Amino acid sequence: MSATLEHASEARRAGVQPISTTSEWTFELIQRYDEAIAECAREFKLDTYPNQIEVITSEQMLDAYASVGLPIGYAHWSYGKEFIRNEQAYRLGVQGLAYEIVINSNPCIAYLMEENSMAMQALVIAHACYGHNSFFKGNYLFRQWTEADGMLDYLVFARDYVMACEDKYGVGPVEAMLDSCHALMSHGVDRYRRPHPISHREEVQRQVERDEYARQQYNDLWRTVPVRDQAVERASKSNVFPPEPEENILYFVEKYSPALEPWQKELVRIVRKLAQYFYPQTQTKVMNEGWATFWHYTLLNRMHEKGLVNDGFMIEFLQSHTNVVAQRGFDQRGYGGINPYALGFAMMQDIRRICEHPTPEDREWFPDIAGSDWLKTLDFAMRNFKDESFIAQFLSPRLIREFRFFAIADHEDNPKIEVEAIHDDEGYRRVRRLLADQHNRDMMVPDIQVVRYNRDSDRSLVLRHVTTRGRPLQSEDADQVMKHLARLWGFKVRLEEVDAQGNVKTFRERSP
């Protein structure tokens, strides 16, 4: 901090004046701060989409909460319920509101709360417009699975299509379809195939083509056409369809449900596209927030060094920043698990420390990055990792000690709780692996796949759940999912639970 104050003193002696000296903001000041922060971001070679900054009220922020942060969305009762829940909690003082919401689109849209002071507006600009924005543009998961250029157009298409369906078929049937699709949203994601980029113009054209194709299928004579899909041809020969298990249940329902009408399949497709859009965010919570927090801290400190903000600004900023990255103990009030802001920011800072001032321990654990260029190393980590692999690769023994991490084993077949890993070489590796596993989506979402569609008999659908680490499905949750899947499929649905050896342990059946 003394070095920062020294730089600020030099800036003042050079005649540089702070951009503002009060807590009040204006649109002109927001623009000046944005330009200054952008200049600092260029010094650190941050690559971002163009920014679109919107200032909104607390009620509009609550509305954005309800629609999971999307600027345009279709109507659904669950969004209204979420709005009322958040509004009541906010009015009673039980919860606060985020300083901002940022949208992964091109241009990148950032919503700022009008209640924020000027220092908080600057923090949000640095955090969202240059931190999150550069992560959206650079990280491989966002580059692979989302299309920032087409997202806003697709949201418009989805909203208009749902509204048209409500006018034509009624609100009740549309809501029932969306209820079931939302229930299966976590099973509507491709993990290994790259989907076609979302384009509004292409989506409208493909919708026309799908409607025409569906119309033709009503005539049974079309089944005699000799040109057949290769996957269907292989499945016919083996009498098993699909030929390989399908993990994307919503995709399979959309393509093969014998009961859904074309408009209903399009609703399934819309929800599936939204699930895919959010998929990278569920995989990179620690990295994304850590990256954005690291850069708002770095950029605003750089502005202080240049004399563009004063000490009062920095005190307010640092107070807010400290609250964001605080990690409460398990026995402290307000504890909610590991704070992704705290862990992510600490890891980004630690990588910079390892690059600039490595210890002998760092050189032993991280020989490839110790003493290297910290900007290039952080950029490489941001672009090529997700939470699980990032923690497994870069969590250092020093951070494990600072966070006081250790591992407790509480197994069902053991009446005693055991301390499984402590602060030694073996313990560090064990803690790092366990923490990485906790951020692995595959450990949180049950592995349920479509294994058989009996299309030549009763049209029933068979799914299989492979238990991992001896974790069975929660009975109540599984029954709810089966109910919604049976509604979408229109015929009997069977869910088998299989152990690691392939033995069927239990099964459930549900009819529509």
Side-chain angles (χ1 to χ4, degrees):
M1 190 67 182
S2 59
T4 302
L5 292 175
E6 182 180 344
H7 284 299
S9 298
E10 292 176 0
R12 282 193 290 270
R13 287 196 296 270
V16 178
Q17 295 297 320
I19 297 175
S20 65
T21 56
T22 69
S23 62
E24 299 298 320
W25 64 267
T26 64
F27 289 105
E28 291 75 12
L29 278 178
I30 287 178
Q31 182 175 357
R32 290 180 60 192
Y33 272 97
D34 178 46
E35 292 170 353
I37 295 170
E39 179 62 33
C40 293
R42 283 191 289 271
E43 293 180 25
F44 294 105
K45 302 177 182 178
L46 291 182
D47 183 24
T48 64
Y49 295 119
N51 282 301
Q52 179 177 324
I53 299 174
E54 306 280 351
V55 180
I56 61 176
T57 65
S58 59
E59 180 131 344
Q60 289 172 314
M61 182 65 78
L62 286 165
D63 189 54
Y65 269 37
S67 58
V68 291
L70 296 176
I72 304 168
Y74 53 80
H76 188 255
W77 64 267
S78 63
Y79 299 151
K81 178 182 177 182
E82 186 69 10
F83 177 87
I84 293 172
R85 187 188 71 81
N86 283 303
E87 182 185 40
Q88 289 179 342
Y90 176 64
R91 303 304 179 200
L92 293 172
V94 177
Q95 79 173 39
L97 294 180
Y99 293 126
E100 45 77 27
I101 286 181
V102 60
I103 310 299
N104 171 27
S105 60
N106 185 9
C108 183
I109 303 174
Y111 295 113
L112 283 60
M113 282 266 286
E114 69 174 8
E115 288 88 345
N116 294 343
S117 66
M118 189 62 250
M120 291 301 97
Q121 303 291 36
L123 184 155
V124 167
I125 292 171
H127 183 92
C129 299
Y130 297 94
H132 284 309
N133 188 344
S134 58
F135 193 90
F136 291 150
K137 190 173 183 180
N139 181 263
Y140 82 99
L141 279 175
F142 287 91
R143 292 171 65 88
Q144 180 179 357
W145 294 109
T146 65
E147 185 67 27
D149 293 336
M151 190 58 205
L152 295 179
D153 286 341
Y154 189 77
L155 291 175
V156 172
F157 163 79
R159 180 198 61 189
D160 293 346
Y161 190 86
V162 171
M163 291 173 63
C165 288
E166 289 177 339
D167 290 340
K168 188 173 183 180
Y169 304 105
V171 174
V174 172
E175 280 196 347
M177 277 295 304
L178 292 176
D179 286 347
S180 295
C181 292
H182 287 179
L184 294 166
M185 210 165 179
S186 60
H187 299 286
V189 171
D190 287 316
R191 292 180 296 166
Y192 304 110
R193 280 200 308 267
R194 188 185 193 284
H196 189 279
I198 297 171
S199 165
H200 176 57
R201 184 175 301 173
E202 292 177 355
E203 192 61 44
V204 172
Q205 178 60 33
R206 290 178 64 179
Q207 174 59 30
V208 173
E209 294 171 358
R210 283 194 294 270
D211 288 345
E212 176 61 21
Y213 177 78
R215 185 190 65 78
Q216 293 173 353
Q217 297 312 297
Y218 292 135
N219 186 342
D220 198 57
L221 292 177
W222 281 90
R223 297 188 181 185
T224 64
V225 176
V227 179
R228 304 183 67 189
D229 183 78
Q230 292 182 0
V232 176
E233 189 68 34
R234 290 194 300 270
S236 299
K237 292 178 181 178
S238 64
N239 204 31
V240 175
F241 189 81
E244 298 290 339
E246 173 59 61
E247 65 169 354
N248 193 329
I249 296 175
L250 284 183
Y251 173 83
F252 195 87
V253 168
E254 175 201 337
K255 296 300 181 185
Y256 302 109
S257 172
L260 294 184
E261 297 182 22
W263 68 270
Q264 294 173 313
K265 291 186 176 183
E266 187 61 37
L267 292 181
V268 176
R269 177 179 170 82
I270 286 172
V271 175
R272 181 171 65 83
K273 286 289 188 181
L274 292 180
Q276 196 70 60
Y277 170 78
F278 287 113
Y279 171 67
Q281 300 190 32
T282 64
Q283 297 278 286
T284 58
K285 179 68 173 178
V286 170
M287 285 188 68
N288 200 345
E289 297 298 353
W291 177 263
T293 304
F294 173 86
W295 282 113
H296 83 225
Y297 180 82
T298 302
L299 294 174
L300 294 186
N301 270 285
R302 178 61 182 146
M303 290 184 65
H304 188 243
E305 292 175 2
K306 296 168 71 171
L308 297 175
V309 297
N310 59 23
D311 294 345
F313 176 104
M314 290 301 292
I315 290 173
E316 182 180 354
F317 153 65
L318 289 172
Q319 181 183 23
S320 175
H321 170 81
T322 302
N323 290 334
V324 167
V325 300
Q327 175 59 62
R328 299 181 186 275
F330 75 94
D331 55 350
Q332 290 181 311
R333 185 178 180 181
Y335 173 74
I338 297 175
N339 180 356
Y341 292 83
L343 180 60
F345 174 70
M347 289 188 66
M348 297 293 176
Q349 286 281 80
D350 199 49
I351 291 173
R352 180 173 182 175
R353 178 195 63 78
I354 292 170
C355 292
E356 292 185 318
H357 308 291
T359 64
E361 181 183 56
D362 297 326
R363 294 189 183 279
E364 178 184 352
W365 281 75
F366 306 101
D368 295 336
I369 68 171
S372 64
D373 185 319
W374 71 269
L375 263 179
K376 291 181 180 179
T377 301
L378 271 181
D379 184 74
F380 174 81
M382 177 272 289
R383 292 180 182 277
N384 297 287
F385 291 83
K386 57 182 179 179
D387 285 349
E388 177 202 4
S389 55
F390 179 67
I391 292 170
Q393 180 71 23
F394 293 106
L395 183 64
S396 70
R398 175 170 173 167
L399 272 191
I400 292 175
R401 292 191 296 269
E402 289 181 358
F403 275 82
R404 300 179 182 178
F405 288 146
F406 62 97
I408 292 288
D410 183 12
H411 298 296
E412 185 179 9
D413 55 354
N414 188 346
K416 297 181 180 180
I417 295 177
E418 297 180 357
V419 178
E420 191 176 75
I422 58 174
H423 294 170
D424 55 23
D425 278 4
E426 184 179 349
Y428 292 140
R429 289 183 171 85
R430 180 65 176 157
V431 167
R432 186 163 68 177
R433 182 67 264 167
L434 288 172
L435 189 59
D437 287 345
Q438 288 184 14
H439 291 83
N440 181 0
R441 180 184 180 274
D442 296 338
M443 304 295 251
M444 297 180 283
V445 178
D447 182 15
I448 300 176
Q449 301 181 11
V450 177
V451 295
R452 190 165 65 256
Y453 166 26
N454 297 313
R455 55 185 180 173
D456 296 328
S457 55
D458 62 355
R459 297 189 180 183
S460 62
L461 189 67
V462 180
L463 298 94
R464 181 169 296 165
H465 170 247
V466 180
T467 58
T468 57
R469 300 191 175 186
R471 297 176 183 172
L473 291 172
Q474 292 291 328
S475 180
E476 184 177 346
D477 293 342
D479 290 341
Q480 286 296 315
V481 169
M482 290 286 286
K483 178 187 75 173
H484 288 290
L485 182 56
R487 176 193 287 174
L488 293 177
W489 189 249
F491 292 86
K492 183 183 294 184
V493 177
R494 176 186 174 103
L495 174 61
E496 301 175 345
E497 194 156 3
V498 180
D499 61 21
Q501 289 71 41
N503 303 313
V504 178
K505 299 169 60 178
T506 60
F507 70 88
R508 295 176 173 84
E509 283 188 353
R510 182 83 185 214
S511 298

